[in-house]
Amino acid sequence: NIDDEKMSKSLGNFFTIADVLQKFDGETVRFFMLRTHYRSPLNFSDANLDDTRTALRRLYQALDGRAIDDGAIDWADPRAAAFKAAMDDDFGTPAA
């Protein structure tokens, strides 16, 4: 709604993705979007994006030095099963 957009701009709580990308890299923004269920509104606040950037750094640190396997997934593994269950439940990327 154009009136809602004008009101949001006047309140200072309206951002375009270009605005967000001036402060945060695209990888952080993509990870933020994966951490939010697709049916939920996105709240592109600095605090939320800073938290996402920190979480992404922790993920990379956890993966640093790990060997990459052949890509075969053992769906009997509890972590793989939990991932599949989350994705099967309305594409639940935050839980996955």
Side-chain angles (χ1 to χ4, degrees), residues 42-87:
L42 295 172
N43 181 5
F44 285 105
S45 70
D46 285 354
N48 287 344
L49 286 159
D50 282 333
D51 176 61
T52 299
R53 183 175 17 206
T54 300
L56 186 59
R57 285 181 186 150
R58 282 194 316 263
L59 176 62
Y60 280 135
Q61 287 172 351
L63 295 174
D64 190 34
R66 300 268 183 193
I68 298 174
D69 62 15
D70 64 0
I73 298 171
D74 175 8
W75 293 109
D77 181 293
R79 294 167 295 189
F83 173 83
K84 183 179 183 319
M87 294 302 286

Side-chain angles (χ1 to χ4, degrees), residues 5 9 13-34 42-46 49:
E5 185 176 322
K9 284 182 180 179
N13 62 356
F14 177 85
F15 304 97
T16 66
I17 196 68
D19 295 333
V20 174
L21 289 171
Q22 287 180 2
K23 292 182 80 173
F24 297 93
D25 63 280
E27 192 169 22
T28 297
V29 173
R30 286 188 297 275
F31 192 55
F32 171 78
M33 293 173 76
L34 281 173
L42 295 172
N43 181 5
F44 285 105
S45 70
D46 285 354
L49 286 159

